[in-house]
Amino acid sequence: MSVDATGSAPGGEPHDTGSRLVPPVAPHLIVLFGAGGDLARRKLLPGLYHLARARLLCKHRVLGVDLGDRSAEEFRGQVRSAVTEFGRQRVDDEELERFLDRVDVVSIDDGPAALAEAAAAHLGALGAGARVLHYLSVPPAAALEVIGLVDAAGLVEGTRIIMEKPFGTDLRTARALNAALHETFDESQIFRIDHFLGKEAALNILAFRFANGLFEPIWNRQHIDHVQIDVPETLGLGQRTSFYESTGAYRDMVVTHLFQVLAFTAMEPPTDFTPLSISEEKQKVFRSMLPIQPTDVVRGQYGGYRDEPGVDPHSDTETFVALRCRIDNWRWAGVPFYLRTGKRMAEGARIISIAFREPPRSMFPPGSGVGAHGPDHLTFDLADASKLSLSFYGKRPGTGMQLDKQSLQFALHEDADVLEAYERLIHDAMCGDHTLFTTSDSIERLWEVSDPLLSDPAPVRTYAPGSWGPNAVHQLIAPHAWRLPFERARRTT
């Protein structure tokens, strides 16, 4: 039987997935700050159209807020172009026109009175029970100014707000940002977004771990040797060099993305599948993390970075970082977690690789091949298509006892109806579901464990564009090796 992956039946009724219905969404006004920016154009506006087309936005209005002065018709033309260029489905002209009829714009330069007036008009059209979701797709430096505008417009009480990273740049700035946010919004109203956790593959980690008696009993230090979380990227920085100069790979990727994925991998079983239970278990992981020491970190910078526009010619900003971190609790004591990410690398990937301990003694004769290819691995691919791979030793056909590495591979090919990460997270925020969002306590704890590294950073080493980073990365993980199992062509039969 084919199931609509959006969770919605064609007529807009919620679909019973076998566990619970997709929550109905109240009528919503989505106030999109930074509506003319790149993220809005590539992800948010096409995503809102997809939600509306999937009948997951039954009654809604979209109010774009941006610099400059443009008419509603001009803005709708920009929305049409964004949906046409970046939408993941063939555009349905009738659906798109219906969506555009619900789109409006107001200039941030016109101040809080204009914002309040436009919001009131749309809320009146939506009727009783309508809610407001603010999405701050703005540079970090502008976030508090926008929150002040929202407050002055009287659009705080009963509303929710989605915040984009970075959530500070160290412990001091994170605490200051959270304190400023809490002067206006309650923590329950704030949704700090991490699009990594909105992906199907990330959610599949929870399903795989906690729904299967085959793996949960061995998900611990007695059976797992080490864990790798690897997110190399082939792309450079483009127009983001000025932003990157003040952040670097560690602040941009590790604190905000990779540590969140680590928490899903390492957390204890929640008492139930509720946002509070899952947040509590993630926070326990963060509390158990030992401080990140500079000696456990390799920082790199690709050759030519200092020649790019907006970069200090003497910059020591890292475009690559690899680190070893430890979780000092009963389940994971003694098991290293290796994290790596970087720009302009040989290949792009997003994987979690679990290396299992090898048997303490081999019964097989020398030369049989046992141990020649490293330990058994279970690997999750966090790219857009969900993939799993399990490697193990098996006998080669023929006479004698010769063993080779074999693998089981699973791929779930997603169709265009599956919610993209931003779409899922926007829908969750409208439902008030914090499961895939992080909290102020978690953010501050992650900056706290990062303090030794940020106070005394490891030296930056140059690496060639198109490589796998500085050579020192191999010493960091020795005697193990970095693993990218999906670089092989996948079987089709």
Side-chain angles (χ1 to χ4, degrees), residues 258-281:
L258 271 61
F259 280 159
Q260 300 297 325
V261 174
L262 180 150
F264 267 20
T265 308
M267 63 190 272
E268 295 295 318
T271 55
D272 50 38
F273 196 74
T274 60
L276 179 60
S277 294
I278 292 173
S279 292
E280 285 176 345
E281 297 306 332

Side-chain angles (χ1 to χ4, degrees), residues 331-375:
R331 182 181 292 261
W332 297 111
V335 178
F337 285 71
Y338 297 100
L339 281 59
R340 177 173 68 169
T341 186
K343 303 291 185 183
R344 299 289 301 275
M345 298 187 70
E347 294 184 26
R350 295 177 179 180
I351 68 166
I352 302 170
S353 190
I354 314 295
F356 293 100
R357 295 192 183 278
E358 297 187 75
R361 184 179 180 279
S362 175
M363 58 178 273
F364 298 99
S368 63
V370 173
H373 304 287

Side-chain angles (χ1 to χ4, degrees), residues 303-315:
Y305 171 76
R306 294 177 181 177
D307 299 326
E308 297 195 10
V311 175
D312 184 335
H314 304 289
S315 173

Side-chain angles (χ1 to χ4, degrees), residues 167 192-198 256-257 260-261 425 436-437:
F167 313 116
R192 297 170 185 83
I193 195 167
D194 176 7
H195 68 275
F196 268 46
L197 297 188
T256 53
H257 293 321
Q260 300 297 325
V261 174
L425 294 169
L436 301 178
F437 297 86

Side-chain angles (χ1 to χ4, degrees), residues 14 32 42 50 53 81 86 90 103 141 147-148 158 184 215 238 272 286 335 353 388 442 444-445 470:
L32 177 56
R42 291 177 175 271
H50 190 199
R53 179 173 176 174
S81 297
F86 297 107
R90 178 181 296 177
V103 169
I147 289 170
T184 304
F215 287 101
D272 50 38
F286 298 144
V335 178
S353 190
L388 297 176
S442 295
E444 291 180 16
R445 173 57 184 166

Side-chain angles (χ1 to χ4, degrees), residues 148-222:
L149 175 68
V150 170
D151 191 14
L155 293 172
V156 172
E157 185 176 356
T159 68
R160 298 177 178 128
I161 181 170
I162 295 179
M163 299 285 295
E164 280 282 346
K165 70 176 181 71
F167 313 116
T169 55
D170 54 23
L171 180 58
R172 179 186 61 81
T173 56
R175 284 175 172 168
L177 175 60
N178 285 329
L181 284 172
H182 292 154
E183 288 179 2
T184 304
F185 288 94
D186 184 78
E187 177 67 17
S188 64
Q189 296 175 271
I190 303 169
F191 293 77
R192 297 170 185 83
I193 195 167
D194 176 7
H195 68 275
F196 268 46
L197 297 188
K199 293 180 175 294
E200 283 289 330
L203 293 169
N204 207 27
I205 297 170
L206 297 181
F208 190 88
R209 279 196 59 190
F210 300 128
N212 294 296
L214 177 63
F215 287 101
E216 179 53 28
I218 62 172
W219 208 268
N220 56 57
R221 60 187 174 86
Q222 293 181 317

